[in-house]
Amino acid sequence: MSGYFTEDIGAQELQERTAVATDIAEAVRTLIADTVLTEVDASAAATAIEHIEAAAEILRSRQLPDDSFGVRFNTDGTKRTWGNAVIGTRNPIAPPLDVVFDDDGLAWAEFEMGPAYEGPAGLVHGGILAAILDQILGSAAEHAGAPGMTGTLTIRYRQGTKLGKVRAEARLDRVEGVKSIAVGRISTAEGTTAEAEGIFILPRWARESGAADKIRKALSDG
Amino acid sequence: MSGYFTEDIGAQELQERTAVATDIAEAVRTLIADTVLTEVDASAAATAIEHIEAAAEILRSRQLPDDSFGVRFNTDGTKRTWGNAVIGTRNPIAPPLDVVFDDDGLAWAEFEMGPAYEGPAGLVHGGILAAILDQILGSAAEHAGAPGMTGTLTIRYRQGTKLGKVRAEARLDRVEGVKSIAVGRISTAEGTTAEAEGIFILPRWARESGAADKIRKALSDG
């Protein structure tokens, strides 16, 4: 499996790198929302683009040699999935979800869905909700010790999800052989808006591998 | 329904606005990928952030009065869903999909999935694939004259989808009363990677409304 790395980074450097990653990604998230809402003319847009390209050039001046962030393990066993499209600290398209795991097995996150997540007017795109549910169901299964890659994902939409504050939650429901079944939902102040069931499967190559722990941890990133 | 607008914009102005929207969004998409892959230090990051904030300030200097782009109809009957998270021309988190409708009812799009769409290392996030399938299935149903909001979406993942060139396709399978059932799939050079079925439902308020045409067109945006 390419794209999985172990890196020996000290605690302080990791903290510093995390702060930099968070700051850049947050600035770009703001820019994304402003891009969706802007009505500037071609001249102002050209000046904005100059700034955007200058920023991109700086960021490109030192970058990963790979085409993606991958999954990076720290020597303390924690992992960084900073490129993940839903939870990635350094990925501006991720809200990002900061998933909390309660002692009773509930995984949950509360986050803001701004204009970049729109589908029908004023509502969160149903596909974005599916992406969030896929991630949080997988995270719940992993945290409960039954990780896997998504086999089947079923979403039932109950009502529109207004842009704004959104909550996602999930838990492992049961394990059937190599299948982990997780359930979850999306809710807003108006109640449940979507429900999901996901079947997560530990692939054959991972089951047969000796390095199961590490690989299992790496598998529930979407 | 808030967030639906009709705007009287001439053909030339619309063309110019589209060019500006496309240019800004493309620049931000490049910046997003560079953000995911960057390894710059705090000092370089700070300079990049200054540029990003300068660009955002320019874009904010003239913006929509609403909190989202919504769905905007042109007087010629075409619509703009520029804020849409999957197909939005001015939405940097959208790849964006440029969906082609063949005469035989097939809706399809080919697009690049860069580092911002990662889930497992080197692979497209399963949830992002779900988002794309939700959109293209809904678009196929709409184009076939049977639009609706997503009721149930089921995705079956067959194998990992490598980051890079991806194809999505869908078609309306059948109509059962107010339900439109569409099917589709994701594929890469390695074959089919995910299959989907979506049930799209025309909401009661739309069925009972006199302004059905306009509302129906507006309904399949995710």
Side-chain angles (χ1 to χ4, degrees):
Chain A
M1 290 294 284
S2 66
Y4 293 91
F5 307 88
T6 297
E7 290 175 320
D8 187 10
I9 302 173
Q12 193 187 337
E13 194 191 335
L14 184 56
Q15 194 177 357
E16 286 166 9
R17 284 200 199 182
T18 303
V20 171
T22 303
D23 289 350
I24 302 176
E26 274 304 307
V28 180
R29 285 183 193 112
T30 301
L31 178 66
I32 290 170
D34 288 328
T35 300
V36 173
L37 299 180
T38 195
E39 293 278 89
V40 296
D41 61 19
S43 164
T47 309
I49 288 170
E50 281 174 22
H51 280 294
I52 294 165
E53 290 177 344
E57 195 175 325
I58 292 168
L59 299 183
R60 267 198 303 276
S61 67
R62 188 174 154 194
Q63 67 178 177
L64 295 172
D66 309 293
D67 293 334
S68 69
F69 186 87
V71 175
R72 290 165 191 271
F73 295 89
N74 308 315
T75 44
D76 64 2
T78 59
K79 71 172 174 180
R80 281 170 293 139
T81 53
W82 284 358
N84 184 288
V86 177
I87 59 171
T89 301
R90 205 167 71 191
N91 188 336
I93 81 166
L97 261 65
D98 184 10
V99 182
V100 179
F101 299 96
D102 287 349
D103 290 342
D104 66 356
L106 187 73
W108 62 273
E110 290 179 356
F111 47 94
E112 194 72 21
M113 295 264 93
Y117 300 103
E118 189 176 42
L123 302 179
V124 182
H125 195 295
I128 294 295
L129 297 174
I132 289 165
L133 286 163
D134 175 51
Q135 178 65 47
I136 200 161
L137 267 66
S139 293
E142 173 192 25
H143 194 79
M149 286 183 75
T150 320
T152 305
L153 179 68
T154 306
I155 316 284
R156 289 183 184 80
Y157 297 90
R158 300 305 185 190
Q159 59 173 318
T161 304
K162 285 190 182 162
L163 290 171
K165 193 177 172 186
V166 171
R167 178 184 167 94
E169 56 183 51
R171 63 172 69 247
L172 178 66
D173 186 61
R174 61 194 189 278
V175 175
E176 298 174 357
V178 298
K179 295 181 180 177
S180 308
I181 295 96
V183 295
R185 67 189 188 109
I186 297 285
S187 59
T188 66
E190 296 176 315
T192 298
T193 62
E195 293 168 329
E197 182 185 90
I199 303 173
F200 298 86
I201 302 169
L202 197 62
R204 186 174 300 276
W205 63 261
R207 279 173 259 156
E208 291 170 352
S209 164
D213 265 9
K214 178 172 167 180
I215 295 165
R216 280 171 189 249
K217 285 200 75 171
L219 280 174
S220 60
D221 303 313
Chain B
M1 291 293 284
S2 64
Y4 293 90
F5 306 89
T6 297
E7 290 175 320
D8 187 11
I9 302 173
Q12 193 187 336
E13 194 190 338
L14 184 56
Q15 194 176 357
E16 286 166 8
R17 285 200 199 184
T18 304
V20 170
T22 304
D23 289 349
I24 302 175
E26 274 304 307
V28 180
R29 284 183 194 112
T30 301
L31 178 66
I32 290 170
D34 288 328
T35 300
V36 173
L37 298 179
T38 195
E39 293 278 89
V40 297
D41 62 19
S43 164
T47 309
I49 289 171
E50 280 173 22
H51 281 293
I52 294 165
E53 289 178 344
E57 195 176 325
I58 292 168
L59 299 183
R60 267 197 304 274
S61 68
R62 186 173 155 195
Q63 67 178 178
L64 296 172
D66 310 292
D67 293 334
S68 69
F69 186 88
V71 175
R72 290 163 192 272
F73 295 90
N74 307 314
T75 43
D76 64 3
T78 59
K79 71 174 172 179
R80 281 171 292 137
T81 54
W82 284 358
N84 185 288
V86 177
I87 59 171
T89 301
R90 205 166 72 191
N91 188 336
I93 80 165
L97 260 64
D98 183 11
V99 182
V100 179
F101 299 96
D102 288 348
D103 289 342
D104 66 355
L106 187 72
W108 62 272
E110 290 180 355
F111 47 93
E112 194 71 20
M113 294 264 93
Y117 300 103
E118 188 175 44
L123 302 178
V124 181
H125 196 296
I128 294 294
L129 297 175
I132 289 164
L133 286 162
D134 175 52
Q135 178 66 47
I136 200 161
L137 267 66
S139 293
E142 174 192 26
H143 194 78
M149 286 183 75
T150 320
T152 305
L153 179 69
T154 306
I155 316 284
R156 288 183 185 80
Y157 298 90
R158 299 305 185 190
Q159 60 173 317
T161 303
K162 285 190 181 162
L163 291 171
K165 193 177 172 184
V166 171
R167 178 184 168 95
E169 57 183 50
R171 63 172 71 248
L172 178 66
D173 186 61
R174 62 193 188 279
V175 175
E176 298 174 357
V178 297
K179 296 182 180 177
S180 308
I181 295 96
V183 296
R185 66 189 187 110
I186 298 284
S187 59
T188 65
E190 295 175 314
T192 298
T193 62
E195 293 167 328
E197 183 186 90
I199 303 172
F200 298 87
I201 302 169
L202 198 62
R204 186 175 301 275
W205 62 261
R207 279 174 260 156
E208 291 170 351
S209 162
D213 265 9
K214 179 173 167 178
I215 295 165
R216 281 172 188 247
K217 284 200 76 171
L219 279 175
S220 61
D221 303 314

